[in-house]
Amino acid sequence: MKFGIRSIVAAASVALLAAPGSIQGAVAQSAAGQGVKIGILNDQSGVYADYGGKWSLEAAKMAVEDFGGEVLGQKIELVSADHQNKPDTAISIARKWYDVDGVDMITELTTSSVALAVQDLSKEKKKIDIVVGAATSRITGDACQPYGFHWAFDTHALAVGTGGALVEAGGDTWFFLTADYAFGYALEKDTSEIVIAKGGKVLGAVRHPLNSSDFSSFLLQAQSSKAKIVGLANAGLDTANSIKQASEFGIVAGGQKLAGLLMTLSEVHGLGLQAAQGLVLTEAYYWDRDDTSRAFAEKFFKRTGRMPNMIQAGTYSATLSYLKAVKAAGSKDTEAVAKKLKELPVDDAFAKGKVLANGRFVHDLYLFEVKKPSESKKPWDYYKLLATVAGDKAFPTAAESGCPLTK
């Protein structure tokens, strides 16, 4: 029986989960014997569809191909689904994947509320999840679990990179425009702590619903605060739309600076350099960084017609690292694979680094400024490097993270 389902609707998931536990267990055992199965669970139709979406699935396919398509003599299979940024939908899908379809590992997991919910389920089911697209530092902090990993970045690293640099450059008063859910709160909190630690002040904050279309009232509050920096603690289309509307309100022209606290190449591309120029942001990957990143990006571009951002490159790395850990463990056993993920160094097209005891992949990040149109020399030539943020500065140690596993 084949379970290679490309998209799963929540209603079907709930119906299948109604089957008796003994039947589910037998089906899962049968499915598990068919090979190694990895699930890409993310937003494929909403506010984060470009941020990760189908492009992350394509990156995972590249990882499977580069690994050789098999591990331990078994075929590697990918399944994917759209969680629609809803934790209950994500849990229904993930539970079916684990209980019925024999999925061994789930990755990408855009949206912090989704990632936290799936991480709890993964702990219950003794399954590995590798979060790439979600940002909250709680994933390897107080919400850590033995089989949970966090790969590309987190709110603490973004705060250190963008927040710390702007305060040092004179941007010592801040007002936050914050997405009203777990990710936004975490990014605002972590950045505020860095700003204050470096001698700056937070003058206020306003929270907006996910997937807002009208930011006018929020931007007027930011404008009236007179803060030097308006910190955008949001992501995806929310960030792009708030930047576009900020331009219409003359916020930057009036002397305030916008900080994209979680912004990737995809959003810059969507905005265009005319609108995005001068923005300061932190990413863990840039396609034109070195020969290795360029080689990966060129392969990705041939398949997709676009350059990868850190979420897509991070999904490639997470998938490849999981497969390497399975091979090194000589087994799909969760305990053995989790142990190898924490032992093996990571060195691939995305990043080089190590995985801590709390599941945090530690690697360098990069502070970029978006180029002016006149500075861009070729397609997708969008960033100029301001600074490299060393991994041990960007991320706390396992002992400092608040993860109970390390106590």
Side-chain angles (χ1 to χ4, degrees), residues 172-243:
D172 56 1
T173 56
W174 284 65
F175 186 94
F176 289 94
L177 197 66
T178 302
D180 191 12
Y181 75 103
F183 148 68
Y185 312 150
L187 187 51
E188 179 188 322
K189 175 181 178 292
D190 286 350
T191 307
S192 295
E193 289 174 354
I194 294 293
V195 167
I196 292 167
K198 288 187 172 289
K201 294 181 179 179
V202 176
L203 303 185
V206 63
R207 290 172 175 172
H208 68 80
L210 180 66
N211 202 14
S212 292
S213 58
D214 184 3
F215 289 86
S216 56
S217 64
F218 311 122
L219 289 166
L220 285 170
Q221 291 181 62
Q223 194 171 41
S224 64
S225 75
K226 308 296 183 185
K228 294 177 183 177
I229 307 294
V230 178
L232 303 177
N234 52 19
L237 285 177
D238 282 339
T239 302
N241 287 334
S242 52
I243 290 170

Side-chain angles (χ1 to χ4, degrees), residues 49-69:
D50 265 1
Y51 169 87
K54 63 183 180 182
W55 316 114
S56 290
L57 175 60
E58 201 62 36
K61 289 178 184 177
M62 289 174 64
V64 171
E65 291 168 12
D66 287 350
F67 193 79

Side-chain angles (χ1 to χ4, degrees), residues 151 317 321 341 344-348 350-355 361:
W151 219 249
S317 176
S321 295
L341 275 166
L344 297 174
V346 179
D347 184 355
D348 55 37
F350 169 68
K352 298 180 182 180
K354 61 183 179 181
V355 180
F361 174 29

Side-chain angles (χ1 to χ4, degrees), residues 68-378:
E70 292 185 352
V71 62
L72 307 181
Q74 296 181 316
K75 179 184 175 184
I76 303 163
E77 186 177 357
L78 291 174
V79 296
S80 73
D82 182 353
H83 61 47
Q84 302 170 43
N85 297 308
K86 299 175 182 177
D88 56 344
T89 299
I91 287 296
S92 293
I93 294 166
R95 192 179 296 277
K96 177 181 179 295
W97 277 357
Y98 287 154
D99 288 348
V100 179
D101 295 349
V103 167
D104 301 294
M105 185 273 280
I106 296 177
T107 189
E108 222 274 40
L109 293 168
T110 300
T111 313
S112 292
S113 54
V114 164
L116 290 167
V118 172
Q119 177 142 297
D120 282 345
L121 179 67
S122 299
K123 180 182 179 181
E124 174 193 331
K125 299 294 183 181
K126 278 194 71 172
K127 295 281 191 172
I128 288 173
D129 69 80
I130 305 180
V131 177
V132 181
T136 178
S137 54
R138 291 190 59 211
I139 291 164
T140 50
D142 68 296
C144 74
Q145 58 104 335
Y147 321 117
F149 296 83
H150 203 179
W151 219 249
F153 67 101
D154 64 23
T155 51
H156 185 275
L158 297 176
V160 171
T162 307
L166 286 173
V167 175
E168 290 172 1
D172 56 1
T173 56
W174 284 65
F175 186 94
F176 289 94
L177 197 66
T178 302
D180 191 12
Y181 75 103
F183 148 68
Y185 312 150
L187 187 51
E188 179 188 322
K189 175 181 178 292
D190 286 350
T191 307
S192 295
E193 289 174 354
I194 294 293
V195 167
I196 292 167
K198 288 187 172 289
K201 294 181 179 179
V202 176
L203 303 185
V206 63
R207 290 172 175 172
H208 68 80
L210 180 66
N211 202 14
S212 292
S213 58
D214 184 3
F215 289 86
S216 56
S217 64
F218 311 122
L219 289 166
L220 285 170
Q221 291 181 62
Q223 194 171 41
S224 64
S225 75
K226 308 296 183 185
K228 294 177 183 177
I229 307 294
V230 178
L232 303 177
N234 52 19
L237 285 177
D238 282 339
T239 302
N241 287 334
S242 52
I243 290 170
K244 288 176 184 176
Q245 292 176 37
S247 177
E248 294 168 6
F249 278 92
I251 286 179
V252 175
Q256 292 174 292
K257 191 173 186 68
L258 298 177
L261 295 173
L262 176 49
M263 196 167 181
T264 75
L265 193 74
S266 300
E267 290 76 59
V268 173
H269 182 69
L271 281 166
L273 292 183
Q274 189 62 44
Q277 60 182 308
L279 281 166
V280 176
L281 55 91
T282 299
E283 283 216 57
Y285 168 90
Y286 180 47
W287 72 270
D288 205 15
R289 186 183 74 232
D290 57 29
D291 289 343
T292 303
S293 62
R294 280 188 287 272
F296 170 76
E298 286 164 7
K299 287 173 63 178
F300 187 89
F301 186 86
K302 287 178 182 177
R303 300 169 72 115
T304 65
R306 58 193 291 127
M307 290 298 186
N309 64 16
M310 69 172 168
I311 310 306
Q312 292 135 19
T315 301
Y316 171 89
S317 176
T319 304
L320 191 62
S321 295
Y322 172 76
L323 294 172
K324 288 178 178 179
V326 170
K327 181 179 179 181
S331 166
K332 295 196 302 179
D333 174 73
T334 297
E335 296 279 1
V337 175
K339 185 173 184 287
K340 287 298 179 184
L341 275 166
K342 293 173 183 178
E343 289 177 354
L344 297 174
V346 179
D347 184 355
D348 55 37
F350 169 68
K352 298 180 182 180
K354 61 183 179 181
V355 180
L356 303 182
N358 62 345
R360 174 69 260 174
F361 174 29
V362 172
H363 50 79
D364 292 349
L365 289 96
Y366 307 93
L367 183 70
F368 295 111
E369 182 176 324
V370 179
K371 291 182 175 182
K372 298 175 183 177
S374 60
E375 295 173 322
S376 180
K377 305 302 181 186
K378 56 188 175 183

